[in-house]
Amino acid sequence: MDSAKSNDMQVYTGIAASPGIVVGRLRVIDRRRISVEEYDIGETGAGAEIDRLKAAIACTHDELERLKEQLQASTGEEHLFFIDTHLLILADTRLFSETAAHIETGLINAEGALRRTLHKYREFFAGISDPYLAERIIDVETVIEKILNNMVGKVHAPISSEMGQTIIAAHDITPADILQMDRGSIIGMVTEVGGRTSHTSILARAFELPSVVGVDGIADLLLDGAPVVLDGLSGRLVVNPDRDTFRDCLWRKQQYEYVERELLKIAPLPAETPDGQRILLKGNVEVPEEGMSVMRHGGEGIGLYRTEMLFMNRPEMPDEEEQYRAYSAMQRVVAPHPLTIRTLDVGGDKLLDGMIRVSEQNPALGMRSIRLALSMPDEFRKQLRAILRTSAAGPVRIMFPMIAGLEELRRAKALLREAMTDLDAAGHAFDRSIAVGIMIEIPSAVVIADLLAREADFFSVGTNDLIQYSLAMDRSNEHLAAMFQPLHPAVLRSLRRVVEAAHEAGIDACICGEMAGDPLYLPILLGLGFDELSMNASSIPRVKQVLRRCTRERAVEITKACFSFTVAAEVEAYLKDAMANHVAEGAD
Ligand code: PEP
Ligand code: MG
């Protein structure tokens, strides 16, 4: 897609990935387009160009080290591994030797030579069949862009903006980009790829950064600097808004922000229905900042701590001490409420650098999550020891992801026992009766929920993956977003089966997938009898508001009616109507 710059209003629609409405200027980031000129340097120019290349690489090295130090102070140690990855790429001798060879044999300038090297890297990565590994070209592009910027005297910084009030448009933005970006001046983002439940979207919501994903071709348009309104509620990007549209957007923005402020007033109130049914509302977190946000929004603990961020964008696994420090930091933020720590869940759209080197035909069905953890028992035990040690300071629960059958659960629990023995030998304290739960996110786990319930202390349904695997639809695929249906009768029946199996065995049934955070689904989840819902921080007061207005009795009736429909669209229409007419009214 290509478009000439014009002042006409243009509206682009995508998927609403993180709520909020922001007004600012668009900054288009395209790492694939590095505009450098290639020119002849003559017979004698190679030495000087190689010196320039060396100097720019050294400069980039210093810049990355400085950035690491800065972020260490502001963000903390545990999320800086992407910088180590960039340092490793920079230290790769082939990067230098290939570029130097282009200079010497082609007698071209260093920038042009570097671009040729990048071209070769792109060809290499394009030949990797594993799409997730193939995507690591983004890291190489980032590093080469930094070197080029240093060559032409531009200091490369993380995604930032001098103009403030900037909305980033890009083909893709990685979780590392979000952690690293200047979140003071960047107020929103729009990308070509991604889905609502992709990890970048989850992180955007965690940082309350409005975002729209799945806007085809947006990074290729000539829109840099254009005034825009990004609507993360309806999934729209309005470029050059006309006066009426602008006024309308501002009005919606004010309304949204007013409602947000009002909702925060609900945060301290009990999560209880008018007829006295209590449900625990907890938060999902990946980074320490979110723990505080969960508390501020009235969460009663953490129902899902995704530990994989600690393992991503780095060449080596974090050791036990580093993990212990990270988990303890989270525990302190959440105390005295309970913290549910999920063990390593990587693969699929969450890639570990330097670790998974197997090329898989289908990573979503591949060596991921608990399967991967069980395949490296020493590393897994390290994580279990770190979690156990954290449990000495306050209530902590362990949760195993993507359990498909009892063998996996038993093997994971055996490793947990071994980890306990290790800690006893080392004289470390821990909670010996720590609760051990599992995520239900694979259809086989739903089918054998009764068997699993006998050997688990709690269930937590990962609806993102459960829907993905039940409907065979990639959760990150923007083209399938409309068909990714939480209200599909198969999903609803699965949820019912999970709650029934849990309660028959006397254990709690929780949900920590995105479905838990959408107030529309609250009557069904309440009616089905879930004990705990865990969601991103900003959803907690929204869900609590509906909970405080919907009696358990009414929720059971609504749920019964929902099960009488045969397709998701009918359930949704009915639910919306029920919410508008019977639940939404009333005040707190
Ligand atoms: C899920 O699958 O619903 C879930 C909560 O886990 P994640 O989104 O991290 O895969
Ligand atoms: Mg999952």
Side-chain angles (χ1 to χ4, degrees), residues 46-121:
E49 287 303 303
I50 289 174
D51 286 348
R52 283 183 64 227
L53 175 66
K54 276 187 193 155
I57 289 177
C59 224
T60 307
H61 180 271
D62 293 350
E63 183 193 323
L64 283 169
E65 290 287 358
R66 267 198 313 279
L67 177 65
K68 195 170 160 184
E69 264 172 42
Q70 276 166 16
L71 285 176
Q72 253 157 358
S74 61
T75 313
E77 189 80 42
E78 59 264 39
H79 305 297
L80 307 179
F81 317 119
F82 59 93
I83 301 182
D84 289 327
T85 307
H86 292 171
L87 282 166
L88 271 180
I89 294 169
L90 196 63
D92 185 351
T93 49
R94 275 165 306 182
L95 178 68
F96 173 75
S97 57
E98 281 208 15
T99 310
H102 286 310
I103 295 175
E104 281 168 337
T105 52
L107 293 179
I108 53 167
N109 60 325
E111 289 92 336
L114 205 48
R115 192 173 56 179
R116 288 190 189 187
T117 305
L118 175 59
H119 184 70
K120 275 194 112 175
Y121 271 102

Side-chain angles (χ1 to χ4, degrees), residues 197-199 202 284 286 304 306 308 342 345 347 349-350 368-369 399 401-402 439-441 460-469 475 511-515 534:
T197 54
S198 68
H199 285 83
I202 288 172
N284 293 351
E286 305 205 333
L304 168 63
R306 293 180 165 101
E308 45 276 7
R342 178 175 74 183
D345 183 13
D349 67 338
K350 292 172 281 188
R368 57 172 302 193
S369 196
M399 182 157 78
M402 292 202 66
M439 290 194 68
I440 304 285
E441 42 190 351
S460 190
V461 186
T463 48
N464 308 336
D465 278 317
L466 185 60
I467 298 169
Q468 157 162 275
Y469 292 117
R475 57 191 269 186
I511 294 203
C512 62
E514 291 299 299
M515 197 176 172
S534 192

Side-chain angles (χ1 to χ4, degrees), residues 433-450:
S433 50
I434 189 165
V436 181
I438 60 170
M439 290 194 68
I440 304 285
E441 42 190 351
I442 298 185
S444 64
V446 174
V447 176
I448 59 158
D450 53 332

